[in-house]
Amino acid sequence: MRPVTFSQILLDFYEMYTPFTPKLKHLSLFRSPSSRHGMAEEAKKLAGYAAVDNHVQNNQVVGVGSGSTIVYAVDRLAERVRQEKLNIVCVPTSFQARQLILQHGLTLSDLDRHPELDVAIDGADEVDAALTLIKGGGGCLTQEKIVAGCAKHFIVIADFRKDSSVLGQQWKKGVPIEVIPMAYVPVSRTIAKRFGGEAVLRMAVSKAGPVVTDNSNFILDWKFEHTHNWKEVNIAIKMIPGVVETGLFVGMAERVYFGMEDGNVGVRDPPVN
């Protein structure tokens, strides 16, 4: 006889005593982590497809971001290039992005040959109400910011888990800060002293020692304690000797597409001052 789980007992109880409650509500009480992960992946796909469909046109130079969400955007971009015979040139933000471009048979270029981009599409670790971003969870923040800064339009794609009213509401790993290796200790101490919180050296998972970026630098994750004026803090941190770049993207995103749990795509534009 098949063993009965505790969740199944509770589900049977609800069905017995609430016969007119829609089945979907019952199942949502016991949504497994795997089903939520599948929902997040579908949401990433929705956001990526929406950005490519709405912002990529023929004869454009496109900046290709990094991370898990951008995979779906590149899938859609390659599909449109094949189906519509588009002439698209792609500039990557990382080794991962470069490999995605090549694997999909897209035209690869760089900022030497194409210093001005028509549009850049990238993901984010968190987005607040003002479209301030935390990026760099994957360690590619410096090249991502350079490419975004070279684009006429910077479009962000994310799933519903990255949507916050203020930074730190959803993303708990802090603000990534790329630093010159020899400076990581003094930079960490300076950030903690001036802005509070703790700046921790990011350690690698599948190798001994710290994470090393595509630029051969280290990453500090600054776990801040409260909301700041992010524009001022971003500038101040960048002025600390040894800091290469921060994962704070302030006033850069033109639009964010959020793939939602219900299968829709939410759109957020910068607030009108």
Side-chain angles (χ1 to χ4, degrees), residues 90-107:
C90 298
V91 175
T93 58
S94 64
F95 179 84
Q96 178 222 12
R98 181 180 183 277
Q99 295 307 107
L100 280 173
I101 293 166
L102 294 175
Q103 288 167 9
H104 284 79
L106 297 167
T107 302

Side-chain angles (χ1 to χ4, degrees), residues 11-65:
L11 187 59
D12 292 342
F13 175 83
Y14 271 86
E15 289 176 345
M16 182 182 300
Y17 289 100
T18 55
F20 301 107
T21 305
K23 193 84 167 180
L24 181 59
K25 292 185 179 179
H26 294 206
L27 295 177
S28 66
L29 292 172
F30 308 106
R31 182 177 296 156
S32 68
S34 60
S35 66
R36 183 171 173 80
H37 174 75
M39 195 175 297
E41 289 303 310
E42 183 61 28
K44 293 177 185 180
K45 181 177 179 180
L46 290 168
Y49 275 47
V52 171
D53 287 347
N54 290 323
H55 297 278
V56 175
Q57 301 174 13
N58 194 27
N59 297 316
Q60 284 189 331
V61 181
V62 178
V64 176

Side-chain angles (χ1 to χ4, degrees), residues 134-153:
I134 291 179
K135 289 176 52 56
C140 308
L141 57 150
T142 299
Q143 293 185 49
E144 289 174 342
K145 191 175 282 190
I146 291 170
V147 170
C150 293
K152 297 175 185 176
H153 307 283

Side-chain angles (χ1 to χ4, degrees), residues 130-273:
L131 263 63
T132 300
L133 317 175
I134 291 179
K135 289 176 52 56
C140 308
L141 57 150
T142 299
Q143 293 185 49
E144 289 174 342
K145 191 175 282 190
I146 291 170
V147 170
C150 293
K152 297 175 185 176
H153 307 283
F154 177 42
I155 307 301
V156 176
I157 54 178
D159 65 76
F160 54 88
R161 302 171 301 175
K162 311 302 176 62
D163 183 9
S164 296
S165 56
V166 295
L167 295 184
Q169 182 180 351
Q170 303 283 358
W171 181 253
K172 304 299 184 183
K173 297 181 180 180
V175 176
I177 300 167
E178 185 163 346
V179 298
I180 300 297
M182 68 171 290
Y184 87 89
V185 171
V187 169
S188 176
R189 289 166 57 88
T190 301
I191 290 172
K193 182 177 179 180
R194 291 181 59 182
F195 306 107
E198 184 181 22
V200 181
L201 181 65
R202 187 184 298 182
M203 303 304 291
V205 175
S206 297
K207 67 173 280 290
V211 168
V212 179
T213 70
D214 287 357
N215 310 307
S216 301
N217 295 318
F218 290 171
I219 290 182
L220 297 174
D221 289 306
W222 172 41
K223 299 178 181 179
F224 54 91
E225 298 174 331
H226 56 83
T227 300
H228 294 262
N229 180 321
W230 297 118
K231 182 177 181 180
E232 292 180 359
V233 167
N234 181 54
I235 294 172
I237 291 177
K238 288 181 66 172
M239 293 300 295
I240 300 172
V243 170
V244 177
E245 189 55 86
T246 83
L248 289 166
F249 284 53
V250 185
M252 297 185 70
E254 178 178 304
R255 172 169 287 184
V256 179
Y257 289 93
F258 291 104
M260 307 305 292
E261 289 179 282
D262 60 5
N264 291 316
V265 177
V267 179
R268 181 178 299 164
D269 294 321
V272 179
N273 297 324

